[in-house]
Amino acid sequence: MDGIDALRDKYLAATAEAADEAQIEAVRLSALGKKGEVALLMRSLGQMSPEERQTAGPALNALKDDLNAALNAARVKLADAALDARLATEWLDVTLPSRPARQGTIHPVSQVMDEITAIFADLGFSVAEGPQIETDWHNFDALNIPGHHPSRAEMDTFYMARAEGDNRPPHVLRTHTSPVQIRHMLENGAPCRIIAPGRVYRSDYDQTHTPMFHQIEGLAIDRDISMANLKWTLEEFASAFFEVDKVEVRFRASHFPFTEPSAEIDFRCSWVDGQLRLGEGDDWLEAGGSGMVHPKVLEAAGVDPNRWQGFAFGLGIDRLAMLKYGIPDLRAFFDSDLRWLRNYGFPALDVPTLAGGISR
Ligand code: PHE
């Protein structure tokens, strides 16, 4: 049938020309839609003679199939072209190196605190904590430092402001970690072996003092703990911390209201060409204070001094960190960009991308 072939040519050409999905759909509707030319022809089959229908029917069906096939092929071609276009533009070079990530590092003081904690854990000490804003009772009175005692003034205490008319004694920023002794014994009694690392505050600022610094308190209470146990513990600690065979500890008679007797802790050392060597030589390095816990302190903390005794010590963490890593100015820890610490070979900083600094 000529008419059918003409329709086929017409719509195949239109399909070939269709540039997008909408145009393909338009071709489909005008050919095969309800009122499309092919559909109308299909409907005219009813008026044909049976002989005519016998040839026209299959021919029309074949036309329908051909057009559907062509339309589908055109759709697939369009989709392929769209995909090719995306593949050409939206590609990713997975072999490119990644952008450098900004990365933080452990602060040297935090790292040293972790090191110290691990060493004392090996010696059987667990970690205790207390608040940095402390009552003056825990910070002073319970530690046998009465109100008039000069060391309240010596410690350059920061006092928290009270509201007008509130006459309770002021809270303080703890001046040492010793109040944790009181809190721990009040809560847990004796015996005990704890360390208490943390921040302490004094109004002081120069090359070796910052208003906030870090201490580590030690407390061991039992039936027959002595200064000898204290000395051994400190020597074990110092040897492990400075990674040498043995660091000798020297006690220098001292005075703290909360210990009796009291001793300043020195580690044997020498300075060779400006370099500190621990455990050898004839110099001594001041590391902190210590002593046997005063009976009045045990009493204030609810522990019977007739049954229990023990030692306490307080070490300056920042100073230990400076000495271990050869950092000359304490303020560098808290005031400045930490990147320069890499000059001192601080291992925790051996990552290339510490961005910015630490500021307060
Ligand atoms: N608390 C004391 C200080 O900060 C140190 C210390 C702790 C001394 C424990 C003796 C016993 O100076």
Side-chain angles (χ1 to χ4, degrees):
M1 270 173 84
D2 289 354
I4 287 181
D5 286 338
L7 272 181
R8 176 179 284 106
D9 289 347
K10 173 180 166 188
Y11 284 111
L12 286 181
T15 303
E17 263 164 42
D20 58 29
E21 188 69 31
Q23 289 180 19
I24 293 174
E25 181 62 7
V27 174
R28 192 188 67 80
L29 282 174
S30 59
L32 305 169
K34 262 189 190 158
K35 289 179 184 152
E37 280 191 273
V38 180
L40 290 177
L41 269 183
M42 290 289 238
R43 234 167 280 160
S44 71
L45 285 175
Q47 284 112 54
M48 293 181 188
S49 67
E51 295 76 33
E52 278 177 323
R53 215 180 293 149
Q54 236 167 33
T55 49
L60 271 175
N61 276 330
L63 172 62
K64 243 174 85 177
D65 290 347
D66 289 350
L67 292 184
N68 269 324
L71 287 163
N72 281 336
R75 279 206 181 88
V76 169
K77 212 174 118 191
L78 213 67
D80 282 353
L83 184 61
D84 282 347
R86 279 186 62 191
L87 286 174
T89 54
E90 297 178 18
W91 64 284
L92 207 67
D93 184 354
V94 296
T95 67
L96 275 180
S98 62
R99 291 190 191 89
R102 292 188 157 213
Q103 204 176 2
T105 61
I106 306 274
H107 191 282
V109 171
S110 302
Q111 164 152 333
V112 164
M113 218 133 93
D114 290 347
E115 290 173 20
I116 295 175
T117 303
I119 293 168
F120 278 108
D122 281 347
L123 296 173
F125 289 74
S126 55
V127 173
E129 283 180 317
Q132 293 172 46
I133 298 175
E134 192 49 288
T135 69
D136 70 343
W137 185 82
H138 287 92
N139 195 79
F140 294 123
D141 300 76
L143 289 162
N144 195 32
I145 312 174
H148 55 79
H149 197 280
S151 75
R152 287 212 190 195
E154 271 164 30
M155 282 199 179
D156 300 308
T157 312
F158 286 112
Y159 289 91
M160 306 295 290
R162 280 258 186 244
E164 189 96 36
D166 184 342
N167 292 322
R168 287 174 301 164
H171 281 86
V172 300
L173 293 184
R174 68 178 180 193
T175 57
H176 51 178
T177 42
S178 298
V180 184
Q181 290 184 33
I182 305 298
R183 288 183 177 274
H184 185 79
M185 286 190 281
L186 278 175
E187 227 170 79
N188 305 281
C192 70
R193 281 177 200 199
I194 53 134
I195 52 163
R199 292 183 182 153
V200 299
Y201 302 84
R202 292 179 202 178
S203 174
D204 215 349
Y205 191 60
D206 60 34
Q207 194 176 335
T208 51
H209 297 90
T210 49
M212 186 279 294
F213 59 105
H214 301 81
Q215 286 188 334
I216 186 152
E217 194 80 8
L219 176 71
I221 303 292
D222 212 318
R223 304 311 288 266
D224 51 9
I225 293 215
S226 72
M227 290 288 276
N229 300 132
L230 170 62
K231 201 171 188 200
W232 180 88
T233 303
L234 291 169
E235 286 182 345
E236 285 297 304
F237 160 70
S239 317
F241 180 75
F242 289 107
E243 298 169 33
V244 294
D245 280 347
K246 179 170 166 109
V247 175
E248 200 183 322
V249 163
R250 178 178 77 175
F251 281 151
R252 249 179 320 118
S254 184
H255 174 262
F256 300 101
F258 32 92
T259 45
E260 181 58 39
S262 301
E264 220 78 49
I265 303 162
D266 294 343
F267 296 146
R268 185 182 285 284
C269 71
S270 68
W271 293 91
V272 181
D273 301 329
Q275 278 256 320
L276 178 70
R277 301 254 179 85
L278 259 296
E280 55 172 64
D282 296 318
D283 267 342
W284 295 94
L285 192 92
E286 285 183 39
S290 67
M292 296 300 290
V293 178
H294 197 291
K296 283 191 178 169
V297 172
L298 294 174
E299 227 164 71
V303 167
D304 182 356
N306 295 314
R307 295 182 61 212
W308 305 100
Q309 64 181 40
F311 66 69
F313 61 82
L315 304 170
I317 295 180
D318 314 275
R319 197 167 141 70
L320 289 175
M322 289 168 73
L323 293 170
K324 181 161 177 178
Y325 295 106
I327 298 160
D329 189 331
L330 179 61
R331 289 170 295 191
F333 276 151
F334 310 121
D335 282 354
S336 63
D337 186 330
L338 281 180
R339 278 174 293 190
W340 71 271
L341 284 178
R342 218 171 283 126
N343 293 332
Y344 294 93
F346 190 78
L349 294 172
D350 284 349
V351 273
T353 49
L354 182 69
I358 287 202
S359 56
R360 323 180 245 205

